[in-house]
Amino acid sequence: MPFPIHRPRRLRKSAAIQRMVRETVLTPDDLILPLFVCEGKGVRTPIGSMPGIDRLSIDLLAQEVKEAHGLGIPAVILFGIPDRKDAQGTEAYNPDGVVQRAIREIKSKVPEVVVITDVCIDEYTDHGHCGLVEGDEVVNDPTLELLARMSLTHANAGADIVAPSDMMDGRVQAIRKALDENSHQSTLIMSYAAKYASAFYGPFREAADSAPQFGDRRSYQMDPGNSDEALREVEQDIEEGADILMVKPALPYLDIIRRVRDTFPVPLAAYNVSGEYSMLMAAAEKGWVDGDRVMMEVLLSIKRAGAQMILTYSAVPAARLLNG
């Protein structure tokens, strides 16, 4: 096709034409807001490594959810910070735990919002691992029962979606079985299907007070060098009953998002994680980048790669910009 018959710049000659031919469009409907909920009343504790993000008590959390809903953000995902931790993570599956009470409060104040809950015991254990520990080993099968119990308490409290992030083998099946046997057939499972052992989680571990007290999580989270393994993990979670899949982190794994999207016709989410957020905020605060433009470009790139839902700490400012 010889030049000058085909001039691609003709499709870029005005903002209106660019909007008409744009392939990927970002809207507030694409965003999910992560929130950290703690005990107490009137508590708003800033997270040092995540500017603009706070731990919130349940009363203030409900206000935050209402604001997000008003901006058109359809869903939130809750992470709990309990007052008490132990080796078994018992507060994770306490029917009156901090997340369980937060779900009930949100549903009473903003019933239209989709409430997603993180299902993992790392925030609730004194050792900081995502499973039960025997000696120096994180054991898989005994952990499944606790994850199923945790999910059930969330569903009983009114959660719309439970999201297992632990990366234990077989946890989707165990959770689906527990939900179905207890009249929660309509509760969805959003599986952290391809969750990598990433250095980008650092700020989150400060926010959730969930850093491992020994070792690391490489025996259960995925090796960053592996791509085919992600497809096997995703396929297994589909077979076990996952309704929505997730890739985490997002930016360093855009290729994984694209491979999953091209391979499996299942709703796909991606988590724009704390380290990605904090790097952007730090660069913006120093004036090295235009924070708003880079934020929107990042989110657009995640959607362009194939994610239909984006979990992001930038959800509120992004929604404000999208709403004009």
Side-chain angles (χ1 to χ4, degrees):
M1 293 182 286
F3 176 84
I5 295 174
H6 296 281
R7 291 180 177 267
R9 285 186 58 187
R10 284 196 287 257
L11 294 175
R12 306 173 197 141
K13 67 181 294 183
S14 72
I17 290 174
Q18 288 181 23
R19 291 200 306 273
M20 291 168 63
V21 301
R22 186 166 292 145
E23 299 170 30
T24 304
V25 178
L26 188 70
T27 77
D29 286 336
D30 302 319
L31 308 176
I32 297 171
L33 175 63
L35 292 166
F36 299 98
V37 57
C38 62
E39 297 285 4
K41 190 170 183 178
V43 177
R44 181 183 292 273
T45 305
I47 298 163
S49 58
M50 299 178 69
I53 307 299
D54 307 310
R55 294 183 182 183
L56 300 169
S57 54
I58 293 172
D59 55 327
L60 297 186
L61 183 86
Q63 296 175 23
E64 198 92 352
V65 173
K66 188 173 183 179
E67 177 187 353
H69 177 257
L71 292 169
I73 296 169
V76 298
I77 183 167
L78 304 182
F79 298 89
I81 297 98
D83 278 349
R84 299 183 304 277
K85 301 189 180 195
D86 58 36
Q88 308 296 314
T90 52
E91 282 298 304
Y93 39 91
N94 177 358
D96 200 36
V98 66
V99 164
Q100 290 81 350
R101 283 182 282 122
I103 297 166
R104 293 193 287 267
E105 180 69 9
I106 291 169
K107 282 299 184 182
S108 71
K109 297 291 176 61
V110 199
E112 304 88 354
V113 166
V114 174
V115 176
I116 308 168
T117 57
D118 180 73
V119 174
C120 189
I121 63 173
D122 62 326
E123 298 143 48
Y124 304 88
T125 57
D126 53 14
H127 49 71
H129 276 287
C130 300
L132 294 174
V133 171
E134 294 179 3
D136 59 356
E137 179 185 359
V138 178
V139 292
N140 194 97
D141 294 8
T143 302
L144 301 184
E145 180 185 352
L146 303 188
L147 299 172
R149 289 171 63 185
M150 184 179 183
S151 298
L152 190 56
T153 65
H154 291 177
N156 287 339
D160 300 288
I161 303 174
V162 294
S165 62
D166 55 285
M167 289 300 286
M168 298 295 117
D169 294 336
R171 86 271 205 218
V172 173
Q173 179 177 283
I175 290 169
R176 185 73 271 162
K177 183 173 185 291
L179 293 173
D180 289 354
E181 289 178 351
N182 288 275
S183 303
H184 289 296
Q185 294 88 347
S186 62
T187 302
L188 287 78
I189 297 176
M190 174 190 282
S191 170
Y192 289 64
K195 180 178 179 180
Y196 284 84
S198 172
F200 282 86
Y201 303 147
F204 176 93
R205 291 175 181 171
E206 176 193 345
D209 190 22
S210 62
Q213 298 303 300
F214 67 91
D216 54 42
R217 294 176 176 157
R218 296 181 189 180
S219 71
Y220 44 100
Q221 294 177 358
M222 288 181 55
D223 186 329
N226 292 353
S227 177
D228 291 345
E229 183 186 14
L231 300 187
R232 295 196 297 272
E233 288 276 6
V234 165
E235 184 174 25
Q236 180 171 319
D237 284 2
I238 293 172
E239 291 174 353
E240 291 182 13
D243 302 285
I244 303 169
L245 306 168
M246 189 197 302
V247 174
K248 179 182 181 183
L251 281 181
Y253 300 93
L254 294 176
D255 60 317
I256 306 301
I257 296 170
R258 174 44 57 188
R259 287 198 69 185
V260 173
R261 162 57 51 234
D262 288 345
T263 307
F264 300 102
V266 177
L268 179 61
Y271 203 140
N272 178 215
V273 300
S274 59
E276 299 168 45
Y277 170 85
S278 296
M279 288 194 304
L280 168 57
M281 293 299 292
E285 286 179 358
K286 286 187 172 291
W288 293 342
V289 299
D290 181 325
D292 286 348
R293 287 189 61 191
V294 172
M295 172 180 68
M296 301 308 287
E297 189 174 341
V298 162
L299 296 175
L300 188 67
S301 76
I302 296 168
K303 188 173 182 184
R304 189 183 65 243
Q308 296 156 281
M309 292 155 270
I310 305 171
L311 292 78
T312 176
Y313 302 98
S314 301
V316 168
R320 288 193 181 118
L321 288 174
L322 290 168
N323 289 329

